[in-house]
Amino acid sequence: MSTRLDKRFATLKSEGRPAFVTFITANDPDFDFSLELLKGLPGAGSDVIELGMPFTDPMADGPAIQASSQRALKGGATMKRTLELVRAFRDADNATPIVLMGYYNPIYHMGVTKFLEAATAAGVDGLIVVDLPPEEDDELCVPALEAGLNFIRLATPTTDDKRLPAVLANTSGFVYYVSITGITGSATPDTGKVASAVERIKRHTSLPVAVGFGIKTPEQAHAIAGAADGAVIGSAIVSAIADELNANGKPKVGAAARVLTQVRALADGVHSARAKAAE
């Protein structure tokens, strides 16, 4: 069965351009603002949306995304509300893929079967669960695949050729290559090293490879997009959201439009890599 992710990456490949993958945290800082932003992302150039599942201890995330998770939880975030966001988004957009990204604890707390049923009903397309290794695939990965969801696995600079086959075994949709060793938003990726890593991964899989962690500017987005099948940007967008909150943690008037303007600039960086490749 072809998923929204499969279709989107196939379309992008036929057009000869990389994917612009955006990340925001669900309910940051509240449901209404999050939904406004979510609905605006495709028009701002996002090809795939990663929606963070708020969690109290996001250990792989840097300060910006950790803070966004805390704001979301303070604003009343729950797994149920996160899925309601997806459902509300799907009322107007049935094409843009949405991947839920985060940690296993909130899913486990809800119950895997109940979560997968609710996620597929809401219109979720895939999962990235950063703290479940391949050895635990029977826990969530295999049931998710059987439910028709893509399960996206992370590869890192320390994932060697011996480990890579295990990482890729049940991966679908795309491979998420973490361009730096460390937490999100903590350093700037080396484009040359990224290009070599992407080539190495592609020797093991036919799946698209999207690169994330540390991409903050349109120029960096352009460079990374030219070396991979997609660029993932999260911390820069989440930081833009934080900058648009007042002293009470509420969005300023026109905040979503200004955040989306910054997203559009990042999208232009990715899309200019496409234009260069098309020449």
Side-chain angles (χ1 to χ4, degrees):
M1 182 182 70
S2 182
T3 66
R4 287 188 188 92
L5 267 173
D6 297 331
K7 292 173 183 175
R8 179 55 52 94
F9 274 102
T11 298
L12 293 171
K13 183 177 181 180
S14 71
E15 295 173 354
R17 67 183 183 92
F20 177 39
V21 184
T22 53
F23 172 95
I24 63 171
T25 299
N27 214 71
D28 175 26
D30 57 43
F31 185 92
D32 291 340
F33 181 79
S34 202
L35 180 58
E36 183 181 2
L37 205 55
L38 197 62
K39 287 182 174 180
L41 284 173
S46 177
D47 297 301
V48 177
I49 298 170
E50 291 179 5
L51 187 62
M53 298 177 284
F55 181 49
T56 53
D57 187 25
M59 57 189 175
D61 295 307
I65 294 178
Q66 283 187 24
S68 74
S69 212
Q70 293 301 321
R71 290 193 300 266
L73 291 167
K74 185 178 179 180
T78 62
M79 182 63 79
K80 182 180 178 181
R81 292 288 276 169
T82 296
L83 296 177
E84 285 176 0
L85 264 178
V86 179
R87 190 177 297 108
F89 174 82
R90 285 282 172 242
D91 288 342
D93 187 323
N94 198 40
T96 305
I98 290 186
V99 175
L100 295 185
M101 183 172 187
Y103 301 82
Y104 183 48
N105 185 280
I107 296 171
Y108 177 80
H109 182 75
M110 186 175 187
V112 169
T113 301
K114 184 178 179 181
F115 167 76
L116 291 175
E117 289 174 352
T120 53
V124 172
D125 300 292
L127 302 174
I128 300 174
V129 182
V130 301
D131 56 348
L132 273 183
E135 288 75 16
E136 304 294 334
D137 273 0
D138 288 343
E139 190 79 21
L140 177 64
C141 175
V142 172
L145 293 172
E146 290 173 348
L149 296 175
N150 289 117
F151 201 89
I152 296 97
R153 191 84 70 189
L154 275 64
T156 74
T158 60
T159 307
D160 59 22
D161 285 339
K162 184 177 179 180
R163 177 65 174 166
L164 198 53
V167 170
L168 296 173
N170 286 318
T171 299
S172 67
F174 65 96
V175 179
Y176 188 142
Y177 178 67
V178 177
S179 61
I180 57 173
T181 303
I183 56 176
T184 57
S186 62
T188 300
D190 181 310
T191 305
K193 290 181 179 179
V194 167
S196 297
V198 170
E199 289 176 8
R200 182 172 66 86
I201 293 169
K202 282 182 166 292
R203 289 198 289 270
H204 293 265
T205 181
S206 59
L207 290 170
V209 180
V211 177
F213 281 47
I215 306 170
K216 300 175 182 177
T217 68
E219 293 75 20
Q220 291 169 354
H222 171 89
I224 294 300
D229 298 306
V232 187
I233 302 181
S235 293
I237 299 171
V238 168
S239 294
I241 294 170
D243 290 342
E244 288 293 342
L245 305 180
N246 63 25
N248 296 319
K250 301 297 183 183
K252 301 171 185 175
V253 175
R258 289 189 294 272
V259 172
L260 290 170
T261 294
Q262 295 188 54
V263 172
R264 198 167 287 109
L266 293 165
D268 288 343
V270 176
H271 295 160
S272 64
R274 172 203 61 185
K276 183 177 181 181
E279 289 174 358

